[in-house]
Amino acid sequence: MFEGFYTTSLVAPFVCAILVSCAYKRYTSLMARARYPPGPPRLPIIGSLLHVPNRHTWLAYERMGKDLGDDLVHLDVLGSHIIVVNSAKAATELFEKRGAIYSDRPSYTMLIDLLGFDWALVFSRYGDRFRALRKGFHPYLSPDAVIEYRPLESKSVHRLLRSLMEKPENFVASLRHMAGAIILAIAFGIEVKSEGDPHVETAEKGLGAVLLGTMPQAAMYDFFPILKNMPSWFPGAELNARTKEARHASTAMLEDPMQVTKKAMAEGKVSPSVASALLTRLEDQSATEQDRALTYVFMVLGGADTTVCALEDFFLAMTLNPDAQRKAQAEIDLVVGHERLPDWNDRQSLPYVDALVNEVLRWRNVTPTAVYHRLMVDDVYNDYFLPAGATVIPNVWYGAILHDESVYADPLSFKPERFLDPRLDKPEAAFGFGRRICPGMHLALESVWIAVVSILASFDISKTVNEKGDEIDPVDDYVDGLVAYPFPFECNIKPRSEATVKLIQLTDLED
Ligand code: HEM
């Protein structure tokens, strides 16, 4: 027995050494053979700088991929590498299977150094702090946990119906108010006023700062960090003129609502919220940096901004696609009738409405390039060399992932029916990938669903008409930034009947 043991213990290290050396040789030979993925032409020193898109990055990167005939595109800007991932296959392989090395975030000079968003999980670097924060989210955002928020969401949606009825032309402001109300109540236990609430305004300004920090021009600050010290008349440093105010907004977004929760707790008047739960857990009632960050990130990229964008896309889709609207309304009428508004128990019986929500998220993506990832060590994929430190952009959009015509026939058309086919997966890529996938996905899907089904049950949405009675086509374009809002557009929002008007008034009174 001992003889065998000695033989094994002597041989094992040799075997291991040989295996490691073979693996290392294979790795180095792969590295030696590997080349960067194809990319646009490069110039000396500045590399591909002139090809970094400054509008609709997702469309520009998709076009580059098609022209180059590959699902990866490589840009080298002054020695900084950008890899664009233009297919679901590559995205799954890199962000999910190799998630351990593709889950970092780039350093984001504008957002972090100038606007002070280092507290937000969404921009935080991969590591122990990130893992602890993400884990901390789970109890509040898991599929089971979000069911608790349903009464609050229903109430906020009923208020939304009332404001859509009273001021249809202000539909975007009403959507913003509803999303802000949901997130402020869940995170901080704050019940917002129906109009002009200061907390909603603070959150709005903070989200404006995120938009500023993620405009395509902000990327120039990553390539030329010296821009942050330049006066705003200096070419490329124009955004500096807006950073002071935006930084103030980012700090206010961080501090203001938490003060409200703390004060309410001190006065013994606190409503249940993530913040109060966290603060109660900490005996001295002063949140650690980690817990504060955990609470505040609910708002950034959270309910307020992304949910509003998804619902604006829904209004645009309904304005442009009356047939889909009618089909969804017919389904709701059959299942719910006209005596009440839809509720959560109807969900299983409304497959077309579910399909319509999925199609909204696929058709126009809220975050068409998700949030950028960063590769942590050198890697090889399909014989391509991908260097450590590269910014890796998941192009969720057009022709790339959610508009891939081999998966979604006629991808630019709005066709909810496609999601009635059980073989087609839900458009999960809209929520990103792997270890950084959106932790608010379940909450977002619930909020969007209850808003969509309630609006469809109550209103007809159509194109506006000019004085001659001709229909006006809505503007169909997008704001650049992390969240791609539709450009402001007009539509007609009319209660479906007198009975609907009464129902909306009655439900609002009952809440
Ligand atoms: C329709 C609504 C929403 C969409 C389309 C959306 C989309 C996304 C995407 C694409 C990412 C980046 C994923 C990646 O890097 O691969 C993300 C991250 C994130 N989302 Fe959402 N989101 C939505 C709603 C929400 C809500 C309601 C919350 C919070 C309550 C939330 C909280 C977050 C957070 C904290 C992150 C950062 C995660 C990390 O960096 O690890 N999101 N979201």
Side-chain angles (χ1 to χ4, degrees):
M1 182 180 117
F2 284 112
E3 207 177 300
F5 171 76
Y6 283 125
T7 319
T8 314
S9 60
L10 287 174
V11 170
F14 284 110
V15 174
C16 281
I18 291 168
L19 286 177
V20 168
S21 131
C22 288
Y24 182 71
K25 271 200 184 136
R26 185 173 147 64
Y27 177 73
T28 44
S29 88
L30 266 175
M31 287 290 192
R33 262 191 296 133
R35 58 215 148 83
Y36 293 126
R42 283 187 261 172
L43 291 171
I45 306 177
I46 61 168
S48 342
L49 180 67
L50 302 181
H51 295 273
V52 177
N54 62 5
R55 269 223 80 199
H56 295 6
T57 39
W58 54 96
L59 297 182
Y61 285 140
E62 190 255 347
R63 248 186 328 265
M64 275 182 212
K66 284 201 168 152
D67 292 348
L68 296 162
D70 208 296
D71 56 359
L72 292 191
V73 173
H74 169 248
L75 291 97
D76 168 358
V77 185
L78 302 136
S80 302
H81 297 275
I82 298 174
I83 309 286
V84 183
V85 179
N86 267 337
S87 78
K89 184 167 162 271
T92 309
E93 177 62 37
L94 302 180
F95 300 121
E96 293 184 358
K97 296 200 183 137
R98 303 185 194 183
I101 56 171
Y102 280 87
S103 298
D104 199 7
R105 294 278 191 229
S107 51
Y108 284 120
T109 310
M110 168 67 89
L111 272 172
I112 307 292
D113 298 356
L114 287 173
L115 303 178
F117 275 109
D118 48 340
W119 50 268
L121 172 75
V122 60
F123 306 121
S124 101
R125 303 296 298 263
Y126 192 66
D128 291 345
R129 176 178 175 270
F130 162 79
R131 273 190 290 268
L133 285 174
R134 264 269 351 178
K135 209 165 140 217
F137 257 109
H138 193 71
Y140 307 104
L141 292 174
S142 68
D144 286 342
V146 298
I147 293 176
E148 296 283 313
Y149 309 133
R150 285 180 172 179
L152 165 76
E153 287 172 311
S154 298
K155 194 170 154 188
S156 307
V157 167
H158 296 157
R159 268 205 201 172
L160 167 75
L161 298 182
R162 185 155 194 147
S163 39
L164 288 176
M165 192 170 78
E166 287 167 1
K167 291 190 189 156
E169 66 290 355
N170 282 0
F171 73 100
V172 174
S174 305
L175 293 176
R176 300 201 79 84
H177 191 274
M178 178 206 75
I182 293 178
I183 223 72
L184 285 165
I186 294 176
F188 303 102
I190 294 176
E191 190 164 334
V192 301
K193 293 193 216 141
S194 359
E195 263 179 56
D197 186 90
H199 301 295
V200 173
E201 278 164 24
T202 306
E204 290 283 298
K205 285 190 189 151
L207 292 167
V210 178
L211 193 68
L212 178 72
T214 54
M215 286 166 79
Q217 295 90 311
M220 285 301 141
Y221 287 70
D222 298 332
F223 305 133
F224 304 103
I226 195 163
L227 285 177
K228 63 184 180 192
N229 303 319
M230 293 301 185
S232 47
W233 52 259
F234 190 83
E238 293 83 4
L239 296 184
N240 285 359
R242 293 156 65 188
T243 50
K244 204 165 155 211
E245 200 185 328
R247 186 172 185 117
H248 180 70
S250 105
T251 316
M253 178 188 206
L254 179 65
E255 298 298 343
D256 289 4
M258 192 58 132
Q259 290 311 331
V260 176
T261 313
K262 280 188 183 168
K263 190 161 168 274
M265 285 179 81
E267 291 166 1
K269 293 192 280 194
V270 69
S271 325
S273 69
V274 178
S276 62
L278 290 170
L279 288 171
T280 311
R281 228 177 55 205
L282 294 160
E283 276 171 16
D284 65 356
Q285 295 208 351
S286 65
T288 61
E289 187 261 343
Q290 175 173 315
D291 280 346
R292 290 184 341 146
L294 174 60
T295 315
Y296 296 124
V297 287
F298 266 90
M299 281 154 58
V300 176
L301 252 193
D305 229 13
T306 44
T307 309
V308 174
C309 180
L311 290 173
E312 281 187 47
D313 285 337
F314 158 73
F315 273 94
L316 185 63
M318 294 303 92
T319 311
L320 292 170
N321 299 280
D323 288 349
Q325 185 179 172
R326 300 285 161 266
K327 277 189 201 158
Q329 287 172 327
E331 184 182 70
I332 297 169
D333 292 349
L334 199 67
V335 172
V336 180
H338 299 276
E339 311 285 298
R340 62 177 180 90
L341 288 171
D343 66 33
W344 302 95
N345 299 326
D346 299 315
R347 193 159 184 183
Q348 296 303 327
S349 322
L350 297 170
Y352 191 85
V353 175
D354 242 4
L356 188 141
V357 169
N358 285 327
E359 182 66 346
V360 168
L361 293 168
R362 182 206 70 82
W363 180 64
R364 294 296 146 92
N365 312 142
V366 170
T367 49
T369 49
V371 182
Y372 298 172
H373 290 228
R374 179 180 173 275
L375 173 58
M376 295 156 78
V377 293
D378 288 345
D379 194 21
V380 173
Y381 171 73
N382 271 357
D383 276 358
Y384 288 136
F385 172 62
L386 310 180
T391 295
V392 193
I393 305 181
N395 193 3
V396 192
W397 177 259
Y398 200 92
I401 296 180
L402 288 177
H403 292 73
D404 179 346
E405 52 201 349
S406 67
V407 184
Y408 307 102
D410 192 7
L412 293 181
S413 299
F414 184 83
K415 292 185 174 168
E417 290 75 11
R418 65 175 97 240
F419 283 106
L420 293 175
D421 180 344
R423 286 168 304 170
L424 192 61
D425 290 335
K426 298 201 167 192
E428 214 174 71
F431 292 95
F433 301 93
R435 299 178 189 199
R436 302 298 299 230
I437 195 169
C438 174
M441 176 167 81
H442 308 292
L443 176 63
L445 286 171
E446 296 247 313
S447 310
V448 173
W449 182 83
I450 190 71
V452 163
V453 72
S454 310
I455 295 167
L456 284 170
S458 314
F459 298 98
D460 285 324
I461 303 164
S462 57
K463 292 182 184 175
T464 47
V465 287
N466 63 18
E467 20 346 305
K468 286 194 227 143
D470 302 327
E471 285 187 334
I472 304 172
D473 286 325
V475 183
D476 186 4
D477 199 355
Y478 295 86
V479 172
D480 278 296
L482 187 57
V483 175
Y485 281 105
F487 265 19
F489 64 94
E490 288 187 355
C491 60
N492 238 327
I493 303 169
K494 271 190 16 215
R496 292 181 64 202
S497 67
E498 257 317 297
T500 323
V501 173
K502 295 216 174 77
L503 197 53
I504 293 174
Q505 285 164 341
L506 195 71
T507 318
D508 194 28
L509 283 178
E510 281 170 2
D511 279 341

